[in-house]
Amino acid sequence: MDADRETTIESLRAMLADSVMLKSDPNEIGPETPLFGPGGPELDSLDALQIIIAVEKKFGIRIGDQSAAREALQSLEVLRGWIVRKMAEAD
């Protein structure tokens, strides 16, 4: 699988919308919008778990611990880069 092609901001936004109960329009979540905290879509720790499960299921890579999750789930752009990097490491 070509990680760059499969890991677009749009595909991650769709995965996010499918995985969690968003309180706002998913299209309002830009590439640099923080996923957690002020200015973001008001996600919580349960949402983080749902996103982790979705990433692991879709891309076959593990977000192994809280530190990795905190690093990967900053924004859609950060998540995209993290996924691409982890998939490249696995090849």
Side-chain angles (χ1 to χ4, degrees), residues 16 18-19 22-23 42 44 52 58 62 75 86 91:
L16 185 71
D18 289 343
S19 302
L22 292 173
K23 297 174 178 124
E42 300 180 36
D44 60 23
I52 290 167
K58 180 171 180 155
R62 289 189 37 85
S75 69
K86 290 298 180 184
D91 285 342

Side-chain angles (χ1 to χ4, degrees), residues 6-84:
E6 294 292 322
T7 315
T8 64
I9 295 299
E10 293 77 23
S11 70
L12 292 176
R13 189 179 292 125
M15 183 187 71
L16 185 71
D18 289 343
S19 302
V20 302
M21 298 295 292
L22 292 173
K23 297 174 178 124
S24 60
D25 181 354
N27 293 319
E28 294 177 6
I29 303 170
E32 299 298 326
T33 302
L35 295 178
F36 298 89
E42 300 180 36
L43 300 178
D44 60 23
S45 59
L46 183 56
D47 295 321
L49 180 60
Q50 296 287 54
I51 296 167
I52 290 167
I53 291 168
V55 167
E56 291 179 351
K57 188 174 180 181
K58 180 171 180 155
F59 298 101
I61 54 175
R62 289 189 37 85
I63 300 178
D65 59 29
Q66 188 176 22
S67 176
R70 196 172 283 128
E71 176 189 340
L73 299 179
Q74 295 176 44
S75 69
L76 291 178
E77 186 59 40
V78 171
L79 179 59
R80 188 187 96 64
W82 191 89
I83 291 168
V84 169

